[in-house]
Amino acid sequence: MQHLLSPKQVANAIGASESSLKRWCDQGLLTTVKTAGGHRRIPVQEALRFVREHNHAVVEPHILGMSATDDRKGRRIEGCAERLATALLTNNEQACQAIVFDLFLAGQPVSQIFDEVIAVAFRTIGEKWKCHEADIYEERCSCQIALRILHELRSKQTPPNSGLVALGATIEGDQYALPVTMSEIVLREVGWDARLLGSSIPFDSMANAIQQIEPRMLWLSISFISDESAFIAGFNRLFETASKTNTAVVVGGRALTTEIRARLHYSAFCDTMRHLEEFAKTLRRQAEIAPTKTRKPRKNA
Amino acid sequence: MQHLLSPKQVANAIGASESSLKRWCDQGLLTTVKTAGGHRRIPVQEALRFVREHNHAVVEPHILGMSATDDRKGRRIEGCAERLATALLTNNEQACQAIVFDLFLAGQPVSQIFDEVIAVAFRTIGEKWKCHEADIYEERCSCQIALRILHELRSKQTPPNSGLVALGATIEGDQYALPVTMSEIVLREVGWDARLLGSSIPFDSMANAIQQIEPRMLWLSISFISDESAFIAGFNRLFETASKTNTAVVVGGRALTTEIRARLHYSAFCDTMRHLEEFAKTLRRQAEIAPTKTRKPRKNA
DNA sequence: ACTGAAATGGACGTTTTGAATGTTTTTCAC
DNA sequence: GTGAAAAACATTCAAAACGTCCATTTCAGT
């Protein structure tokens, strides 16, 4: 699959004429790069951004690297969660991909797809498991499928270029990779250079990462806590370290009950991906106004 | 670091064709140095100047950037492991991807790339961690990068169409997802419909999966054993279940010492991805001769 | 329903691109 | 050194993209 597309290719992909495409490029609706001879070249990510932003139709998704879509059906978010849960449990990866990608192409914010479709589907699967209607391996297999889809989605994002680094991780013993991977994508979507360290990272190692990388944000998705008091102590110690480098600490996850939260120090608690997105946007704007604390306080307009 | 680049390398780097590059050189848009035999050589800074001046795209920055990947070197498997380890530890995902995909596109078998490049790189990282030259988070972050590359590789494979189903998993408590994911790709490469259930699957759930799906193979990658005697008992029980549905059980992984293996029942033990590939090929051929035990015994040529 | 502004997409002659071909140079293993 | 494989060379040529012009369609406001 190629990374740079010609106006004609993009025109074919989205069902518009070549002339229109060229006009849109010249108007700046699509950012193009030029060859030495003056031919326009459109990066795929840019084409995807355009489609999502203008909710333009996509006639031939495969040109943009989006494999399967049955158009017009999956554009509304209602009912998608149920369909996804079914597709996941029947191991129908194609269908799962189509559901998520359709919503993505239709311009639904990724945070909303995550909150209202993927998270809901997994809640459904979790409940089936509790009622012995689904086995553990089915839930795990669904996670694998979802992870692959998330990775594919991630590869469709424009790579981050801001200097705003965020680190993400799950705590030691917490193996649930889905939420933390979703957070990474959400943060990248709003312009952060989000780097997922991985699952089950000890607090000490996180502290080392903070000191070495000096990120502006650390996000932790906490789905499972093995030892509550050790967790609280370790976490608050980590918060101390983070404060020294001016790193915001954002937490989320179903294991954080109100009681536990009451005993934690953190910069923000996010219930949903939507909340995370909004907090990240706010923090980003602030950081851009005052890029570094050692920078000179103001300059002339 | 390589100072002079060939037209082909620059063409690849900026996503243009070699022909165009040469034309641009001859038009004087790029200043070239010539070898005695008349081959064009482009200094890196000249290529960078060209890119900036013409607002040209850069598809593969690593060629113009720091990592000295002369693509002749890239095709050969020697030295790739070291370069990959470095790229992983410096968090240079682009470079990691380029190393693996160059080998893949050059026709190296995936099993060999896994055994001789990825596995070796992670062994290097593991040793650095033991010598306190690398932190846990760096190793985990490297795993994340590798996983993303594996998923990308998987998405490039032709989807399986044979009825030969294989199930894969790691045992409960074993969170090392890399080997089991590599196995999945290797099996798909040789025509199996390999389905990765996921990490940390209890033996009971695996048994359920076998009974419900009735695969022809179950492969387990065992990197970590928490309770040895429980493992041996659980595993041998699983082997019993598998025998009833005629499911071959293949094992591998660094946690399987000779002593432990002596107490296990299995169909095959595979040290490397190469071994797994060969065993899978053999088993596939056999299964195709006698597709199902209930099938009619022979048909006319 | 009518009108005019704005957007669309086809048509054109010209220029650029990139694949193919056969020859020469470079590289690397022996 | 030597020889074979890989890569770069020059050249050719069809396909594709360029800019421009213009007829058609769309749509909001009478």
Side-chain angles (χ1 to χ4, degrees):
Chain A
M1 209 216 93
Q2 44 186 346
H3 178 241
L4 292 173
L5 301 170
S6 70
K8 187 173 203 168
Q9 285 178 295
V10 177
N12 287 335
I14 70 179
S17 75
E18 193 186 333
S19 295
S20 298
L21 237 294
K22 288 194 284 195
R23 201 177 322 104
W24 293 336
C25 289
D26 296 346
Q27 285 172 358
L29 283 96
L30 275 134
T31 311
T32 58
V33 285
K34 293 278 186 85
T35 66
H39 283 199
R40 303 174 188 86
R41 288 294 122 95
I42 302 153
V44 250
Q45 285 95 344
E46 177 62 17
L48 287 171
R49 186 200 58 76
F50 174 80
V51 165
R52 275 163 55 72
E53 212 156 279
H54 293 77
N55 9 337
H56 205 293
V58 180
V59 180
E60 311 237 9
H62 64 96
I63 297 176
L64 305 179
M66 306 294 272
S67 46
T69 54
D70 37 19
D71 43 353
R72 300 276 168 264
K73 274 275 178 207
R75 312 201 114 204
R76 300 214 145 269
I77 215 156
E78 296 89 39
C80 283
E82 290 75 28
R83 290 198 294 131
L84 181 62
T86 311
L88 283 168
L89 287 173
T90 53
N91 207 29
N92 188 348
E93 186 155 356
Q94 283 258 320
C96 297
Q97 236 185 39
I99 292 168
V100 176
F101 283 178
D102 275 350
L103 291 169
F104 180 72
L105 285 177
Q108 297 285 355
V110 287
S111 57
Q112 208 171 339
I113 301 176
F114 294 165
D115 283 333
E116 296 175 27
V117 180
I118 299 185
V120 174
F122 274 90
R123 226 169 289 143
T124 308
I125 293 173
E127 271 154 26
K128 288 210 175 197
W129 171 64
K130 272 186 196 150
C131 307
H132 304 284
E133 287 169 34
D135 204 287
I136 302 177
Y137 80 85
E138 291 179 284
E139 194 263 356
R140 296 286 158 78
C141 194
S142 302
C143 281
Q144 289 291 325
I145 294 173
L147 258 187
R148 282 194 290 262
I149 293 173
L150 290 181
H151 282 165
E152 197 117 341
L153 213 52
R154 190 186 119 109
S155 72
K156 303 287 183 278
Q157 294 183 297
T158 23
N161 58 350
S162 75
L164 280 170
V165 177
L167 296 185
T170 73
I171 60 167
E172 211 171 353
D174 180 356
Q175 300 295 345
Y176 210 44
L178 235 37
V180 84
T181 307
M182 292 196 282
S183 314
E184 188 192 22
I185 294 171
V186 167
L187 291 176
R188 284 164 61 96
E189 192 76 7
V190 293
W192 283 78
D193 180 4
R195 300 181 195 168
L196 181 55
L197 297 180
S199 298
S200 201
I201 312 276
F203 283 122
D204 284 349
S205 190
M206 287 189 211
N208 291 341
I210 288 176
Q211 281 162 351
Q212 282 166 35
I213 301 172
E214 294 198 355
R216 301 300 296 253
M217 187 204 293
L218 171 72
W219 86 92
L220 297 180
S221 170
I222 293 152
S223 302
F224 174 75
I225 297 171
S226 54
D227 180 340
E228 202 172 298
S229 56
F231 163 70
I232 290 169
F235 182 91
N236 285 333
R237 220 171 332 111
L238 180 69
F239 182 77
E240 286 292 305
T241 313
S243 302
K244 279 173 200 147
T245 53
N246 224 18
T247 303
V249 178
V250 186
V251 294
R254 59 166 188 239
L256 287 185
T257 59
T258 322
E259 296 80 50
I260 293 181
R261 288 213 308 277
R263 299 169 61 193
L264 297 181
H265 296 173
Y266 48 74
S267 315
F269 167 72
C270 295
D271 245 339
T272 62
M273 293 295 148
R274 166 72 67 124
H275 290 153
L276 176 65
E277 182 175 33
E278 274 157 16
F279 177 77
K281 268 187 197 163
T282 311
L283 194 58
R284 190 196 151 151
R285 269 195 288 273
Q286 287 205 350
E288 273 169 356
I289 292 164
T292 310
K293 52 185 174 180
T294 56
R295 201 66 62 80
K296 49 194 161 190
R298 57 187 173 141
K299 47 183 159 183
N300 294 331
Chain B
M1 149 113 193
Q2 200 178 358
H3 184 70
L4 294 172
L5 302 167
S6 72
K8 188 175 201 166
Q9 285 179 293
V10 177
N12 286 336
I14 70 179
S17 73
E18 194 185 336
S19 298
S20 299
L21 233 295
K22 287 194 284 202
R23 201 180 313 108
W24 296 336
C25 289
D26 297 347
Q27 287 171 0
L29 287 117
L30 276 136
T31 312
T32 57
V33 186
K34 292 280 183 85
T35 65
H39 283 199
R40 304 175 187 84
R41 287 296 118 95
I42 301 150
V44 198
Q45 77 254 22
E46 175 63 15
L48 289 170
R49 183 200 61 76
F50 174 79
V51 166
R52 246 198 302 275
E53 197 159 294
H54 291 83
N55 186 31
H56 207 295
V58 183
V59 176
E60 305 209 28
H62 66 98
I63 296 178
L64 304 179
M66 46 289 125
S67 68
T69 54
D70 160 14
D71 58 6
R72 268 180 293 292
K73 285 262 162 59
R75 294 290 167 90
R76 307 213 145 270
I77 213 157
E78 297 91 39
C80 283
E82 290 75 29
R83 290 198 294 129
L84 181 62
T86 311
L88 283 169
L89 287 173
T90 52
N91 208 26
N92 188 348
E93 187 155 355
Q94 279 261 335
C96 297
Q97 235 183 36
I99 291 168
V100 175
F101 276 105
D102 278 353
L103 290 169
F104 181 69
L105 292 175
Q108 295 285 355
V110 286
S111 56
Q112 207 171 341
I113 300 176
F114 294 165
D115 283 333
E116 297 175 27
V117 180
I118 299 185
V120 174
F122 274 91
R123 226 169 290 144
T124 308
I125 293 174
E127 272 154 27
K128 289 210 175 194
W129 171 63
K130 273 187 197 150
C131 307
H132 304 284
E133 287 170 31
D135 205 286
I136 301 177
Y137 81 85
E138 290 179 286
E139 194 263 357
R140 295 287 157 78
C141 195
S142 301
C143 281
Q144 290 291 326
I145 294 173
L147 258 187
R148 282 194 289 263
I149 292 173
L150 290 181
H151 282 166
E152 195 119 339
L153 213 52
R154 194 189 115 110
S155 72
K156 301 281 183 288
Q157 293 184 299
T158 40
N161 57 351
S162 75
L164 280 170
V165 177
L167 297 185
T170 74
I171 61 168
E172 211 172 351
D174 180 357
Q175 299 295 345
Y176 210 44
L178 235 38
V180 84
T181 307
M182 292 196 281
S183 313
E184 188 192 21
I185 294 171
V186 167
L187 290 176
R188 285 164 60 97
E189 193 75 8
V190 292
W192 283 78
D193 180 5
R195 300 181 194 167
L196 180 56
L197 297 180
S199 298
S200 202
I201 312 276
F203 283 123
D204 285 349
S205 190
M206 287 189 211
N208 292 341
I210 288 177
Q211 281 162 352
Q212 282 167 34
I213 301 174
E214 295 199 354
R216 303 297 299 249
M217 189 205 291
L218 171 72
W219 86 91
L220 296 180
S221 170
I222 293 153
S223 302
F224 174 76
I225 297 172
S226 53
D227 180 341
E228 201 171 300
S229 56
F231 164 69
I232 291 169
F235 182 89
N236 285 332
R237 221 174 328 114
L238 179 69
F239 182 75
E240 287 291 308
T241 312
S243 302
K244 279 173 201 151
T245 54
N246 225 16
T247 303
V249 178
V250 187
V251 294
R254 57 165 189 240
L256 286 186
T257 59
T258 322
E259 296 79 50
I260 293 181
R261 287 215 309 277
R263 299 169 61 192
L264 297 182
H265 297 173
Y266 48 74
S267 314
F269 167 72
C270 296
D271 245 339
T272 61
M273 292 296 148
R274 166 72 68 126
H275 290 154
L276 177 64
E277 183 174 34
E278 274 156 17
F279 177 77
K281 268 188 199 164
T282 311
L283 194 58
R284 192 197 150 151
R285 268 195 289 274
Q286 287 206 349
E288 274 169 357
I289 291 165
T292 311
K293 50 184 173 175
T294 57
R295 201 68 61 79
K296 49 194 161 190
R298 59 190 171 140
K299 46 184 160 183
N300 295 332

